[in-house]
Amino acid sequence: MNFATMKRKVKGFSTKTTLIASGLLLLGSLAQAHPTGNMITMGEHVLWSYIHPINDVNHYACVMIWEKGAEPKVFIQSEHPASGFMLFGKEEEIYIIERKFLQASDEFQVRILKSTIDTEPTVIWDWLRDDFRIGEGGFFMLSDNELVFGKYPEIVILGKGEKPARYFDFNDSIRRIRAVENNHILLLGDKACYLVKQDGSILTEWNELIDPNVMDAPLNRNQLFDVDYYNGNLLLAYWGKRSFDLIQPNGKRQTILQQSEPLVPHWVAIWKKDLLLFSSRFIFDGSSPKPHLTLWTGQNDQHLIWNR
C-alpha cells in the first residue's frame, strides 16, 4: 500500500491534556485555537498541517497530503493532544517538527522526524524541551544535525544537542522565514519582506506591504501571515485584509483572491505555475476553525481542494 495514502500514527508516549489557548495563530503573537504549521510542495504533492479530526477539542495535530486527481488524506497523525506540526522540504526529503504540550510540567517539547512521500518517518531528534517555539516562525534544515528557525524578532540556528545562537544580524524584526530557490531565504518583517542570502545580505526587498487604512482586520490584527517566493514573484497571505496578493517581478501588486468573513488567509505556496491559497473559517466563538484550500491556476480558474 502506498505510504501517502495510508493513515498512520507517529509513535510516542501519550499524555492527557486539554486544548490550550496557545494552540496558536499569527506566529505566536495571537492566542487562538488553531493548528500550528505551514504548507509545502513536494514534487506532485502538497502537504500541510491541521487538526484531525477537525472538530476534536483536544487538538490532535496531523499532516495532510494531496495530489491532483485525489482527495486530501492524512499523511501522519500525532498521538498527542495540544500538538502541532511544522514542515520543510528539501529535494525529496521532508523534515517534520512535531510539538506537544505537557500540562503536568507546563512546557512544550519538540522532536524532528525525517521522511519522504513513500517512506515511514524516522526520528532524527528525539523529544527536547522547547522554550523557543521552534519552527513556528518557519524553519529549514542545514543538515540532519542543524536547523535554522525564525523566533521573533531574530533568526536562530540550533545544532543538535547545542544551545541556540543568532544565525545572522538583521536590521528589521523578523516574524517568519522560509527557504526558497537558489539556497536563498525569504524573511517576513512587520511591514516588509526580504529575499536574502544565507549570510543575511539583501537581494530584493518589498516595502510598505501593509495597508494602514484597514479598519476591520480580524481580531484587530492588520498583518501578513505567510509569504512564498518563486522566480521573482512574491505571494502574500494578508490576514488583515482577508486577501491573497501577488507581487510580480515588475513590482505590480494584485489581489488574486479576496475573501470575506468568516474566512481568514494564513498559508500560501507557489506550486510550479499554480498558487495554493489556504485559509480557515474562524467564528471566534470557541469552535474549531474549518479549512478552506484553493488551487489558483488563473484569474478565472480556481479549484476548491479542501473545504469542511
Side-chain angles (χ1 to χ4, degrees):
M1 184 179 296
N2 188 290
F3 179 71
T5 63
M6 296 166 59
K7 288 189 177 181
R8 298 150 299 172
K9 288 191 175 182
V10 179
K11 299 301 180 182
F13 63 88
S14 297
T15 177
K16 282 195 172 183
T17 186
T18 56
L19 176 62
I20 54 175
S22 50
L24 55 102
L25 183 63
L26 291 181
L27 316 177
S29 64
L30 175 60
Q32 173 71 26
H34 181 271
T36 310
N38 60 322
M39 178 170 57
I40 65 170
T41 63
M42 293 293 295
E44 299 300 319
H45 295 84
V46 181
L47 299 97
W48 63 89
S49 52
Y50 221 76
I51 303 168
H52 182 75
I54 289 173
N55 293 320
D56 187 358
V57 296
N58 288 315
H59 196 288
Y60 284 86
C62 72
V63 175
M64 301 293 296
I65 187 169
W66 176 75
E67 61 179 321
K68 291 181 179 179
E71 291 294 321
K73 298 181 182 296
V74 174
F75 184 67
I76 57 175
Q77 172 78 50
S78 177
E79 292 187 340
H80 306 283
S83 51
F85 285 112
M86 285 74 71
L87 309 168
F88 165 64
K90 183 178 182 180
E91 297 176 350
E92 295 182 354
E93 296 174 329
I94 305 167
Y95 290 90
I96 305 168
I97 295 178
E98 181 182 8
R99 185 170 70 194
K100 63 180 178 180
F101 181 73
L102 301 180
Q103 190 176 40
S105 54
D106 190 31
E107 69 178 29
F108 287 100
Q109 290 189 357
V110 295
R111 65 176 178 175
I112 303 179
L113 304 105
K114 184 179 179 181
S115 180
T116 68
I117 293 297
D118 298 307
T119 60
E120 289 282 351
T122 58
V123 176
I124 59 173
W125 292 31
D126 212 345
W127 293 109
L128 62 130
R129 182 185 173 100
D130 178 21
D131 295 322
F132 297 91
R133 299 292 184 89
I134 297 171
E136 186 176 307
F139 81 100
F140 60 90
M141 304 294 294
L142 293 175
S143 69
D144 284 5
N145 297 310
E146 205 168 34
L147 72 91
V148 175
F149 63 94
K151 172 59 180 173
Y152 186 84
E154 298 176 342
I155 302 97
V156 179
I157 185 170
L158 177 64
K160 188 175 183 179
E162 300 176 1
K163 294 183 178 180
R166 185 177 298 167
Y167 190 46
F168 54 70
D169 291 324
F170 201 75
N171 289 332
D172 196 1
S173 296
I174 298 304
R175 291 188 169 275
R176 195 169 186 88
I177 71 170
R178 186 170 194 149
V180 293
E181 59 186 340
N182 300 320
N183 201 32
H184 295 153
I185 312 170
L186 195 62
L187 306 178
L188 177 61
D190 290 323
K191 298 180 181 179
C193 192
Y194 311 88
L195 181 68
V196 305
K197 297 181 180 179
Q198 288 289 328
D199 61 2
S201 56
I202 297 175
L203 297 168
T204 307
E205 62 181 285
W206 300 264
N207 295 301
E208 305 302 325
L209 297 177
I210 300 297
D211 182 356
N213 298 315
V214 172
M215 303 298 293
D216 57 351
L219 295 182
N220 201 32
R221 299 282 182 166
N222 182 25
Q223 63 186 82
L224 299 172
F225 191 85
D226 193 19
V227 290
D228 196 10
Y229 173 87
Y230 177 71
N231 197 26
N233 295 282
L234 184 70
L235 180 61
L236 313 170
Y238 192 168
W239 165 280
K241 270 192 168 182
R242 301 183 191 265
S243 69
F244 293 97
D245 296 353
L246 181 68
I247 301 179
Q248 300 174 4
N250 61 9
K252 180 182 178 181
R253 178 172 177 171
Q254 67 176 125
T255 295
I256 58 174
L257 182 60
Q258 179 64 60
Q259 297 183 316
S260 57
E261 191 174 357
L263 290 174
V264 182
H266 47 87
W267 296 328
V268 291
I270 300 177
W271 193 26
K272 300 176 182 178
K273 295 182 179 181
D274 299 336
L275 306 178
L276 290 154
L277 315 174
F278 202 116
S279 55
S280 286
R281 290 184 176 84
F282 280 96
I283 309 299
F284 303 116
D285 62 354
S287 58
S288 297
K290 303 297 187 296
H292 188 94
L293 173 57
T294 300
L295 176 67
W296 191 93
T297 58
Q299 195 66 44
N300 297 313
D301 192 8
Q302 301 174 26
H303 306 277
L304 193 58
I305 302 306
W306 199 39
N307 184 37
R308 293 290 184 270

